[in-house]
Amino acid sequence: MPASPEPTAPAARERWFQPRRSGFRWEQEGLDHLRALMPKTEPYRAWATFQFTGPSGRINECDVLIAVPGGLYLLELKGAELPGIAEALAERYEATAVSLNGLFLQVLKELAEEQSVR
């Protein structure tokens, strides 16, 4: 009778999902930095550069959604290459990113609720 195979450790689960690289160099560098900082333990996960269609049919693009023990975080990465530009635009972009992230989170919530009813 052949010997039983030795048990092995389970395969490592993918923690970072990115269907395509960002078209912006600075954004991809930011994503690479985030990926390097993520703990290599459960339950950390991230989904980067993804799109989803809301109930209205609008296509939403997200830079990165990170799941950590403390919750879900939706991050919008911004960058500027010229000195002084980042400071001048930070306030404007911050307000825009916060309102867009709020909209994205609301749409994601609606989609999740719709799926849970099915």
Side-chain angles (χ1 to χ4, degrees), residues 46-115:
W47 295 264
T49 64
F50 68 95
Q51 299 177 337
F52 65 93
T53 304
S56 68
R58 178 176 186 234
I59 296 174
N60 302 277
E61 296 181 0
C62 295
D63 290 345
V64 64
L65 176 69
I66 299 177
V68 300
L72 292 173
Y73 294 88
L74 182 63
L75 304 177
E76 180 70 20
L77 304 180
K78 298 292 180 198
E81 305 236 352
L82 301 173
I85 296 293
E87 293 81 11
L89 296 178
E91 216 171 282
R92 177 176 158 217
Y93 279 134
E94 182 178 345
T96 302
V98 167
S99 64
L100 277 177
N101 280 353
L103 172 66
F104 292 165
L105 290 173
Q106 181 61 39
V107 172
L108 283 171
K109 178 184 173 193
E110 290 171 9
L111 289 171
E113 288 171 346
E114 180 181 301
Q115 292 297 315

Side-chain angles (χ1 to χ4, degrees), residues 1-7:
M1 186 180 221
S4 298
E6 289 294 317

